[in-house]
Structure formats: structure tokens, C-alpha cells
Amino acid sequence: MKEGIFYVLGFDIGGTKIAICLGTSDGKIIASTRVGNKDKDPNVVLPNLVKKGNELLSDNNLTTKDIKAIGIAAPAPHDVKKGIILNPANMPLWRNVKIKEYLENNFNIPVFFENDANAGALAEWFFGAGDNVQNMIYLTMSTGIGGGIICNGELVQGTSFDAGEIGHTVIDIDGPECQCGLKGCYEAFCGGRALALRLQNELKNEPENAIVKAAGSVDKIDMIALEKAVRDKDEYALKVWDNMILRNAQAIGGLVNIFNPDVIVLGTLPWATGDLFMKPFMEYLPRFCWEKSIEKVKITVSVLGRSIGEYAGVCVALNGLLASKNKKGEL
Ligand SMILES: [Zn+2]
């Protein structure tokens, strides 16, 4: 390996599986493995993570001495500072799990912990669409809307590590209720889960509707069914899509004016649908922020796409080391 380049290990924690990835500081994923986590007890999963992590190292002729740090990308809610996974909805047996401490005790190297949306932002910043910029905003738009903000060359964490929760910005005081308890959040308008539930409710007596037909049945309506009906130019679906894009432009336009970023990276839905999203989005954007800031910002879909999970934990490790040095060039 080239001089100055080093290895890190990343753990990307999900409700169905946990990805363990061996990566390098110059952005190569050397090898990866998975540990199943669907309805699993952390008392079983944690030792398995250590076992599989060590196997990954030995399969590549490495030991923990060759690894500079470990990064964990974890779902909310969590205690980022202490590295504790509290009680994520899709991991029913994980309650107050001190995963950072556990991996530290078992690997004896520095372990860094970060929220998974922030980890996605770090992945795009280090090795994706935000490489070489100082100001970047990342949004992942799937079932919910998660975000991460890089400002002046640092991840913005906030006083209690809750910064970057862009999906829970209220954009309409009369808007729909959000699962977070607020009313009119950006996520309540544009999150995949919220939008699907709204359509299922609105179309429950409309079996002939194009979105219902694309889904197969009303209870199966999702963003894929909506996209299909939009591509088939169904009038109702086009209206829903157009309104969703307008709300995205409103929320993201606010970010453009607040942060004046170099790059905004849009993952998941815009990444999957391309121009169908991006074209009308760019047309609506000038209604919500200054032209001079739009001229400066590059708005793009995710570069890492589906492989972002492989980079997430690895980049949490790299950013942990970077933050302790506080300068990207000195890693
Ligand atoms: Zn909310």
C-alpha cells in the first residue's frame, strides 16, 4: 500500500443486516461482509460483529494492529457522544446498547460513532460528489428524509448531536402531522413513508386509479408505484409528484440560502428517478432562494448510490481521525 495510506474498519448498522467493511484512507473498499440483524438479540449480534470483523482482517492478512480506527454508522435514536444505540423502531431487541464501548474493548483501537445520515454525508464528502469541497449538504430521501451538513470543512453536529435533521424542518404550519410529533415537517410532505400512507388513504376507494393499479393494491402503494404512474402520465399522479417536487424545492431552497453550499447531494429518490425529479426541481428552486446562490451551488444526485452503506462506517472512522486533527489535509 502507498505510503501514508492506512486501513480502517466500518460498521453500518441496519435493521436487517450490518455491513462490515475494510477500507483505506484513500477510498478503496478492500473487502466487506455482513451479519444478519433482523429481530436479532444484540447479545448475539455483538460477539458476531467482533468475530466477523476479525475474520475480515485475517482473510486479508491483517490484524487489529494494522487498523487505525473503527467507525460505526448507527440508526436513531442514539447517544452519539457515548456511542449508545437507544431504541430504533426496526431493531426491537436493541435497547441502550453500548456498541462503541463494546467494540473498543474488543478491538483495542479508537472507535467513532455517528448517526447514519451524517455517515452518508461523510461518505459523499470524502469519496463521492462532495470530494474537495468545504461546504456540502447531503439528503437521503427514502422512507424518511435524513440529512447531513458539512460546513467550513467540518461535519455540523450541534450542541446535542441533533444537527442535520433537515426532514423535520416545518415548512407549512397547516401541514400534515409528522411521526416526530411536529406538524408540517418537510418529511411529512416528501418522505416516502408519509407520502405512501397519504396516497393509500386518499385512494382507498379508487381501485381504478393508475397508482393503485401500478402498486397492485391500495395497501401496496409506494414511491415506485407513484413513479410508474407519473411516467405513464397519469394526471393525478403528475399532480402529486409536482407538489412533492415543489415542497422539496421549498425545503432545499432554504438550505441554499442558509448555508450557501458548494454542493448539495441528493440520495435515494432523486438518484433513482434522475431527470424526472431533477428537472422540475431546478425549475422550482428560484422561488425559494437567491439566484446568486443557485449559480454557485452544484446540485447533484448521489455519486456513491447503493454503495454508500459500504463507505458509511469507513468514513465515520476517517472523520473521527480528521476531527481529532481538525484538518482534512493532515490525515
Ligand atoms: Zn417531523
Side-chain angles (χ1 to χ4, degrees), residues 64-76:
T64 47
K65 287 195 177 64
D66 300 304
I67 305 296
K68 207 161 177 177
I70 286 173
I72 304 167

Side-chain angles (χ1 to χ4, degrees), residues 165-186:
E165 287 286 359
I166 296 162
H168 302 286
T169 313
V170 174
I171 56 173
D172 186 338
I173 53 169
D174 297 318
E177 290 195 2
C178 182
Q179 44 107 11
C180 78
L182 291 173
K183 204 164 175 267
C185 288
Y186 170 27

Side-chain angles (χ1 to χ4, degrees), residues 140-145 167 171 176 184-196 198 223 226 240-252 269-270 277:
T140 170
M141 303 147 112
S142 55
T143 49
I145 295 181
I171 56 173
C185 288
Y186 170 27
E187 180 173 303
F189 283 99
C190 301
R193 190 193 299 113
L195 191 53
R198 201 186 95 206
M223 295 302 267
L226 174 62
V240 172
W241 188 262
D242 185 64
N243 195 263
M244 186 267 291
I245 302 285
L246 179 68
R247 289 297 188 177
N248 270 292
Q250 180 190 6
I252 294 171
L269 182 70
F277 184 101

